[in-house]
Amino acid sequence: MKDNPSRPLYLVPYYLWIALFVITPIALIFYFSFLDLTGTFTLENYKNFFSSVYLRMTLSSFWYAFLITLITIIIAYPTAYWLTKTKHKQLWLLLIIIPSWINLLLKAYAFIGIFGLYGPANKLLHAIGAGPWQILFTDFSFIFVAVYIFIPFMVLPIFNSLDKINPALVDASRDLGASSFTTFRRVIFPLAINGVKSGVQAVFIPALSLFVITRLIAGNKVITLGTAIEQQFLVTQNWGMGSTIAVFLILFMVIIMMLTGQKEKGGSLNGKTK
């Protein structure tokens, strides 16, 4: 069958979109990263990034992103597994996804009220005799809110992977004498690993660049790469340094996507890979 000669025409909008909204912004960020405050070409921004201040900020960003992702997996995996066993699993899944439709700022302000000194959380602590605590503007509140926000993005891909597993494989494992833990470790988890990888991409990468939550919930006590970029662009007006941080952030994202990428195996016919 011959290829349709008009097929490339259908790809024109796609290529235009990629060129205008992916390649061009990245190229502009890369260009501005070589400029100083006066618009002069310089490598000082890259030199500054490797200073102790920005290296500590980078390590801190990775640490918080790792914690958020790990806690999200610990909560999302059993939740997704339980959903696959329920009768109305699509309805329960929808109830988990619905909060992700709410604007991020609205959720952040809601948690400011919940974790405030006179909010429901402290009223509950006071009722049990624990006394009021400074929950807001702490690492705990930042991680808690971030995990709450990212939970749906971890549950959905894991649920899809678990739901596609053939129940006959699990039954066969148990019939062969494998324990529940062995069945999970040798059958269920390997077959659902692509869902975990997709969830890590959907959570870890955005967690690296959080800045709204760090401002409103953590009170700037948690500084991430996203916070630094926002500060460089909007506060100090140093677009060059902000672009340099963004360049490294994009690089980190590409590396993470490569490490968590899903390798599709092609089928074989007569011993040859198709």
Side-chain angles (χ1 to χ4, degrees):
M1 182 181 294
K2 295 182 179 180
D3 292 337
N4 188 349
S6 63
R7 183 179 178 182
L9 296 177
Y10 295 104
L11 298 176
V12 170
Y14 169 77
Y15 289 133
L16 286 175
W17 179 273
I18 295 296
L20 291 175
F21 300 107
V22 178
I23 297 177
T24 301
I26 293 177
L28 287 174
I29 289 174
F30 188 72
Y31 167 75
F32 280 112
S33 68
F34 289 102
L35 303 180
D36 59 13
L37 287 170
T38 61
T40 306
F41 179 85
T42 181
L43 295 176
E44 195 67 21
N45 295 326
Y46 285 89
K47 180 180 177 181
N48 290 336
F49 183 83
F50 288 99
S51 65
S52 59
V53 174
Y54 287 103
L55 288 179
R56 283 199 302 267
M57 185 185 303
T58 302
L59 291 176
S60 176
S61 298
F62 271 90
W63 172 245
Y64 282 112
F66 169 77
L67 285 179
I68 292 168
T69 305
L70 179 62
I71 297 172
T72 305
I73 291 176
I74 292 174
I75 298 174
Y77 204 107
T79 301
Y81 184 79
W82 172 77
L83 286 176
T84 60
K85 305 300 179 182
T86 57
K87 184 177 180 180
H88 304 289
K89 53 187 175 183
Q90 298 298 335
L91 175 61
W92 287 107
L93 182 64
L94 179 63
L95 293 177
I96 293 176
I97 295 175
I98 283 177
S100 65
W101 300 350
I102 301 174
N103 185 273
L104 179 61
L105 281 174
L106 292 178
K107 289 187 282 190
Y109 280 114
F111 275 104
I112 290 176
I114 293 172
F115 287 153
L117 287 176
Y118 304 100
N122 265 311
K123 286 183 179 179
L124 178 61
L125 291 174
H126 181 72
I128 62 177
W133 285 5
Q134 180 59 49
I135 304 175
L136 202 61
F137 308 139
T138 61
D139 289 0
F140 168 79
S141 62
F142 169 71
I143 294 175
F144 184 95
V145 175
V147 169
Y148 167 79
I149 290 171
F150 288 125
I151 279 289
F153 302 102
M154 184 66 76
V155 170
L156 185 58
I158 294 178
F159 170 83
N160 289 333
S161 294
L162 290 173
D163 199 42
K164 293 177 182 177
I165 296 177
N166 190 343
L169 297 175
V170 178
D171 294 337
S173 174
R174 291 173 178 170
D175 290 341
L176 292 173
S179 63
S180 298
F181 177 75
T182 302
T183 300
F184 170 78
R185 183 172 61 89
R186 302 295 296 272
V187 179
I188 298 176
F189 187 78
L191 291 176
I193 190 64
N194 284 339
V196 177
K197 290 180 178 179
S198 298
V200 170
Q201 290 181 0
V203 174
F204 191 91
I205 293 176
L208 275 178
S209 56
L210 285 174
F211 70 91
V212 173
I213 299 178
T214 57
R215 289 286 191 188
L216 299 178
I217 303 298
N220 284 338
K221 291 184 178 180
V222 175
I223 304 297
T224 64
L225 292 175
T227 308
I229 292 173
E230 185 228 8
Q231 195 169 29
Q232 293 293 340
F233 274 98
L234 301 181
V235 180
T236 63
Q237 297 291 311
N238 190 347
W239 287 27
M241 194 63 222
S243 297
T244 302
I245 301 172
V247 167
F248 282 98
L249 183 59
I250 293 171
L251 179 61
F252 295 148
M253 292 178 177
V254 171
I255 293 174
I256 293 167
M257 291 187 69
M258 291 175 63
L259 292 175
T260 58
Q262 301 176 14
K263 297 180 180 179
E264 298 292 340
K265 297 181 179 179
S268 61
L269 183 64
N270 296 329
K272 296 182 179 180
T273 303
K274 297 298 287 183

